[in-house]
Structure formats: structure tokens, C-alpha cells
Amino acid sequence: MDPWKGQVVKTVATGTNPNHVEIAEGVAHVTEKSGTGPNGEDTIHRIKVGK
């Protein structure tokens, strides 16, 4: 998202039930609460944010 233009720049797939987004030091951490991990656990995706 470009906050100055209010436009979506890129869409990134994270899974079926993403929530709890935290952004720190240019990285977004997205928790996926779907239990799709190898042992049925929730997963966390790291997405680099920036130019």
C-alpha cells in the first residue's frame, strides 16, 4: 500500500486466515490462524516491506 497515494502496490498471499500484522524494521510479520503448519500449528509469514 502506498500511504501517500492510497493505492495498493502489491498483493502478497499469506494463507487462508491471516491476521495480527506487526511491522518492524522493514519487515511485516503476519500470523496465520488456520492451523496449516506441519503439525497443525498456526504459522507466521515474514514479508519485506519497502522500496
Side-chain angles (χ1 to χ4, degrees), residues 3-43:
W4 291 275
K5 294 180 182 177
Q7 297 176 333
V8 174
V9 176
K10 184 176 182 180
T11 301
V12 179
T14 59
T16 58
N17 194 14
N19 54 35
H20 303 326
V21 177
E22 295 289 331
I23 299 174
E25 299 180 13
V27 177
H29 297 85
V30 181
T31 304
E32 182 185 340
K33 306 290 262 177
S34 63
T36 59
N39 296 311
E41 69 273 6
D42 297 336
T43 56

